[in-house]
Amino acid sequence: MAQPEMLADAMDLAVSTGVLRDVPSNGRLGHREVEVDAPVGTTVTVTWHVPLSGAVGYWTSRVGVTKSLHTDWSAPTTASLTSEVPAGLLFDAQSRCAHAFAVTETVTEVAFRLAVSEENKRINADVTLTVGIQPCRLRLYPPGLRYEDVLADIAAWWSERDPLGGVGSLPSHLPTAATEPVYSTWYSMHQQLEQQELDAELSLAADMGMRSVIVDDGWQTTDNQRGYAFTGDWEVADSRFSDLSAHVDRTHSLGMAELLWISLPFVGRESAAARHLTHLLLPDDGRMARLWDVRLPEARSHVATICRRLVADYHLDGLKIDFIDEWSSYPSTPTPAAADTASYTVGVDRLLAAIVTELQAVVDNPMIEFRQSYIGPRMMRYGNMFRVADCPADGFRNRVSSIDLRHVIKERAVHADMVMWSAADPAEDAAEQLLCTAFSVPQISMLLSQLPDDHTAMLQHYLAWWGANREVLLWGQLRAPRPDLGYPVVTAVNDHRSVTISYASESVIDVRPGRAVIANATGGDSVVVNLTSIATVETVTDCFGVPRSDAPGELTAGLHHFPLPRGGSCVFQS
């Protein structure tokens, strides 16, 4: 691989107000680091430009957005504590960085673009932010490096500047259950939860190797209309759970942890809180529910106390905290006299720190799940499970989003969206969807008691296969070329072990030396492998775990169309 160029000074780096100062940096990737020097509270825009450098795509963390190049008349991406990450990267057809940037402001809003200029035939870039008490720094990366290495360097930079641990932060080490398969009630039961049925499902889930359950929306209401009118009080609906703490104790006896869902901002119109705590709410803007005014210390204390009560009273291991990004879209309103900040995002930051502090008084290392789009670097302090946004039955989006998250989340567990499928379809369809989530922690949301026997066998085999390869899949170094094509072949490498999954027929898998696991999610019954030396084929199994008796024992160096059943896997040793 070519060495990266040092960034030239001729990028015309400029700032609208104040000055930019170059600051010392380790420079291991040839990047340039500058600091914005302007009065606190000033909104500044930094601009620069770089050559196109063969860029074919633009990586950001924005969920559901294609990775095509943007134009300089398109809207910027906005990142903050409650939405996205403050970084962007251009890449070429060899999956090398063409240019990238990141900033250190991770709480208040940062708007940015890396965009094609029609007139100048180059990339115009701009970043707009508000200067805080701590000086903001901007890193700029040159072309030539693997794009994965640049994103990993950015993630490490954020972590160095805002390390985990300390007051208001979860411990740096992860609860074991946060890195193991999860049973979720959302797609399988929605709001129609019933304690006895869930108890039976969890017995099956535990036998399959799932080590936690997330009890989603429905535990707090008898309403089944999927609305949020009854949020805000967070009292258990007796008709759903006659004895929730006894249920949780039973879950623990199965070797599983348990989390409850809570839609943190929402105060439903049918709740007691909406009637009696209106002074703690933001003005009604007509959305599905009212929102707590997190600028108020009293509101934050009230919500944090609710979270502690739930965990303590029902013996929970943590919470699934939902809809934090609702504060991102709320319009600006006058700051109340009792507020200690004028910023929603600063208020959310203080709220999450308070929740972590309260929960740690009950559980040493509580499990806390967040989901896209609130997955930014500051959120690593407050959550340890970061899930892909809802994408039911959409393996492609689950794959792309989980790999996106893996690129910038290094110290926490990345989780796939809950996997669901039709039990009337072939089991191979579900197996391939599961393989789309393989480089993240799987969450399963199907009624296990109603699965056909072949689907049960497939799921049992997949979870056992994933568990056997878990260390490589979750913590191995990722190689995921061509983000613009949806990551057609993805490999995780850990020492002399690797796992590669092909998602596109005719894509070539370069079989790595050592023990190489290959899985087939192409929709066909073969994969294309490239061997640099003779390799032994140790095993070939279908998606049910049944070995193939016709597997070749040895393959010569070169390209091979290798027979591999849909959803199946094989092991090469070379």
Side-chain angles (χ1 to χ4, degrees), residues 490-574:
V490 182
T491 300
V493 183
N494 191 343
D495 294 328
H496 298 294
R497 298 177 61 198
S498 65
V499 179
T500 300
I501 303 179
S502 179
Y503 301 104
S505 59
E506 304 305 314
S507 291
V508 177
I509 300 170
D510 290 318
V511 179
R512 298 182 62 87
R515 186 179 188 275
V517 177
I518 310 293
N520 179 12
T522 66
D525 56 5
S526 68
V527 294
V528 182
V529 297
N530 179 38
L531 297 170
T532 57
S533 61
I534 295 174
T536 300
V537 182
E538 291 189 349
T539 59
V540 177
T541 57
D542 62 18
C543 71
F544 308 104
V546 178
R548 293 290 295 262
S549 59
D550 58 347
E554 194 172 84
L555 289 179
T556 60
L559 286 173
H560 299 267
H561 276 80
F562 183 76
L564 188 60
R566 284 186 63 203
S569 64
C570 62
V571 178
F572 286 84
Q573 184 70 47
S574 63

Side-chain angles (χ1 to χ4, degrees), residues 265-330:
F266 291 158
V267 181
R269 301 177 191 284
E270 301 298 325
S271 68
R275 296 190 296 274
H276 304 305
L277 297 175
T278 55
H279 64 292
L280 301 182
L281 306 180
L282 288 166
D284 190 346
D285 71 339
R287 65 182 67 200
M288 63 185 87
R290 300 284 296 276
L291 269 63
W292 297 106
D293 190 340
V294 288
R295 299 171 297 182
L296 298 168
E298 184 183 353
R300 299 197 301 266
S301 176
H302 179 78
V303 175
T305 300
I306 288 175
C307 292
R308 175 174 175 160
R309 171 180 60 80
L310 291 174
V311 171
D313 288 358
Y314 302 112
H315 315 161
L316 298 171
D317 300 277
L319 297 171
K320 170 183 176 176
I321 298 180
D322 214 349
F323 290 107
I324 291 173
D325 45 358
E326 285 292 315
W327 279 296
S328 298
S329 61
Y330 197 86

Side-chain angles (χ1 to χ4, degrees), residues 34 45 171 201 224 234 254 269 297 304 327 329 372 388 445 507:
V34 298
T45 298
E201 284 291 300
N224 292 326
W234 304 112
L254 296 171
R269 301 177 191 284
W327 279 296
S329 61
Q372 288 175 307
V388 168
S445 194
S507 291

Side-chain angles (χ1 to χ4, degrees), residues 367-435:
M367 298 167 65
I368 298 180
E369 187 204 81
F370 297 143
R371 66 169 168 85
Q372 288 175 307
S373 61
Y374 39 97
I375 46 78
R378 180 71 174 180
M379 297 297 279
M380 301 300 113
R381 297 174 59 85
Y382 310 128
N384 43 34
M385 303 159 63
F386 286 82
R387 182 175 63 80
V388 168
D390 295 28
C391 54
D394 189 342
F396 176 83
R397 184 160 162 180
N398 223 347
R399 173 173 88 242
V400 171
S401 292
S402 60
I403 298 299
D404 283 348
L405 294 183
R406 280 291 306 277
H407 284 322
V408 291
I409 295 176
K410 301 299 182 183
E411 300 172 292
R412 298 308 195 190
V414 172
H415 283 234
D417 182 38
M418 300 82 69
V419 180
M420 55 152 280
W421 61 88
S422 169
D425 291 339
E428 288 83 353
D429 290 358
E432 291 191 328
Q433 191 186 154
L434 285 162
L435 285 170

Side-chain angles (χ1 to χ4, degrees), residues 47-87:
T47 58
W48 70 97
H49 61 82
V50 293
L52 284 166
S53 298
V56 298
Y58 177 36
W59 187 97
T60 70
S61 64
R62 289 177 65 187
V63 61
V65 176
T66 60
K67 292 179 170 57
S68 57
L69 296 175
H70 291 197
T71 57
D72 61 2
W73 39 263
S74 59
T77 299
T78 300
S80 70
L81 174 83
T82 54
S83 184
E84 310 303 345
V85 302

Side-chain angles (χ1 to χ4, degrees), residues 153-173:
D153 189 72
I154 289 170
W157 184 51
W158 284 328
S159 180
E160 290 164 5
R161 294 186 61 85
D162 192 6
L164 301 178
V167 178
S169 171
L170 292 172
S172 58
H173 65 280

Side-chain angles (χ1 to χ4, degrees), residues 21-230:
R21 286 197 304 266
D22 279 276
V23 295
S25 177
N26 57 38
R28 61 183 179 268
L29 296 187
H31 57 252
R32 180 182 179 187
E33 197 165 315
V34 298
E35 190 168 276
V36 179
D37 186 359
V40 174
T42 304
T43 298
V44 301
T45 298
V46 181
T47 58
W48 70 97
H49 61 82
V50 293
L52 284 166
S53 298
V56 298
Y58 177 36
W59 187 97
T60 70
S61 64
R62 289 177 65 187
V63 61
V65 176
T66 60
K67 292 179 170 57
S68 57
L69 296 175
H70 291 197
T71 57
D72 61 2
W73 39 263
S74 59
T77 299
T78 300
S80 70
L81 174 83
T82 54
S83 184
E84 310 303 345
V85 302
L89 179 145
L90 299 165
F91 55 89
D92 66 16
Q94 298 298 313
S95 300
R96 298 170 303 199
C97 172
H99 180 67
F101 84 94
V103 300
T104 56
E105 177 49 62
T106 58
V107 176
T108 60
E109 290 188 345
V110 178
F112 59 87
R113 281 178 293 202
L114 288 177
V116 176
S117 167
E118 298 177 24
E119 292 80 8
N120 299 308
K121 313 302 187 286
R122 68 189 187 193
I123 297 294
N124 285 345
D126 58 82
V127 173
T128 300
L129 54 90
T130 301
V131 177
I133 296 174
Q134 296 296 322
C136 180
R137 291 189 178 183
L138 172 69
R139 258 194 190 181
L140 305 169
Y141 289 82
L145 292 152
R146 290 181 185 267
Y147 86 93
E148 301 104 323
D149 295 342
V150 172
L151 291 175
D153 189 72
I154 289 170
W157 184 51
W158 284 328
S159 180
E160 290 164 5
R161 294 186 61 85
D162 192 6
L164 301 178
V167 178
S169 171
L170 292 172
S172 58
H173 65 280
L174 292 171
T176 301
T179 66
E180 297 180 321
V182 179
Y183 183 86
S184 168
T185 66
W186 181 237
Y187 295 140
S188 58
M189 299 178 178
H190 287 106
Q191 290 179 311
Q192 300 182 49
L193 292 166
E194 197 277 321
Q195 182 173 332
Q196 187 174 358
E197 181 183 25
L198 180 56
D199 284 344
E201 284 291 300
L202 294 186
S203 293
L204 297 174
D207 288 343
M208 287 189 175
M210 298 180 221
R211 291 295 173 258
S212 62
V213 56
I214 296 175
V215 179
D216 215 294
D217 189 2
W219 62 268
Q220 80 295 345
T221 179
T222 57
D223 181 73
N224 292 326
Q225 300 181 65
R226 293 182 60 170
Y228 299 97
F230 296 92

